Amino acid sequence: MGQILAIDYGKKRCGLAATDDMQIIASGLETVPTESLMAFLERYHREHTIERFVVGLPRDLRGEMSQVEEDILPLIEKLKTTFPSVPVERFDERFTSKIASYYISQSGKNKKQREKKELIDKVSATLILQNYLDTIR
């Protein structure tokens, strides 16, 4: 078995999370600048077996796609071209940033640490992936 890697896409940064090789639990991996995402994934893929990508599906409260979806679609095409043997799935990411902020605030981190957007993005990716794992079981 390989890892499942989740991407919480943002115009400036992308939060990443990955499962263990047994695909039991999701863990925050990294937050990378969006322009460096593909290079990071290529390096990561050389060192780890990625079985599947899960990319957040950004819907608003009414269930409609948010504007960032226009930027995510080209990313998905790049993933499919660069990693043709790795399927790409989508998973609803509604409220993950708010939930991530809440969990971080409850973790005992100081205010400066809690406001780091990089941490929120990584925790959001972890939530997307853990929710995905819970759904497929």
Side-chain angles (χ1 to χ4, degrees):
M1 246 189 222
Q3 297 178 355
I4 301 173
L5 194 141
I7 302 169
D8 179 32
Y9 182 88
K11 290 185 181 221
K12 292 182 182 180
R13 298 170 298 285
C14 295
L16 302 172
T19 64
D20 56 297
D21 288 337
M22 298 291 293
Q23 299 179 3
I24 295 171
I25 192 159
S27 298
L29 182 61
E30 189 72 54
T31 301
V32 298
T34 299
E35 67 270 4
S36 305
L37 177 63
M38 291 306 293
F40 177 90
L41 293 175
E42 288 172 6
R43 277 192 313 275
Y44 191 83
H45 187 46
R46 282 193 295 272
E47 299 171 14
H48 304 274
T49 303
I50 300 174
E51 185 175 299
R52 183 175 320 138
F53 290 108
V54 176
V55 179
L57 187 63
R59 294 186 185 272
D60 63 19
L61 291 174
R62 292 174 289 173
E64 297 173 12
M65 291 296 174
S66 70
Q67 287 184 323
V68 76
E69 178 70 5
E70 294 174 13
D71 297 314
I72 294 174
L73 294 175
L75 167 68
I76 290 172
E77 289 307 312
K78 280 185 193 174
L79 289 171
K80 289 178 178 179
T81 302
T82 307
F83 309 100
S85 64
V86 182
V88 178
E89 294 190 35
R90 305 297 303 278
F91 195 79
D92 193 345
E93 65 174 52
R94 274 182 278 196
F95 306 113
T96 55
S97 292
K98 290 188 187 305
I99 295 167
S101 293
Y102 173 77
Y103 285 153
I104 292 165
S105 73
Q106 298 300 306
S107 71
K109 300 227 181 263
N110 67 39
K111 185 176 181 180
K112 188 173 182 176
Q113 291 171 317
R114 289 193 311 257
E115 291 175 347
K116 283 188 173 180
K117 299 214 182 289
E118 295 85 4
L119 180 58
I120 293 170
D121 293 337
K122 183 167 58 171
V123 173
S124 293
T126 307
L127 290 168
I128 292 167
L129 186 52
Q130 190 62 53
N131 290 336
Y132 174 81
L133 290 172
D134 293 344
T135 300
I136 63 171
R137 288 193 183 119

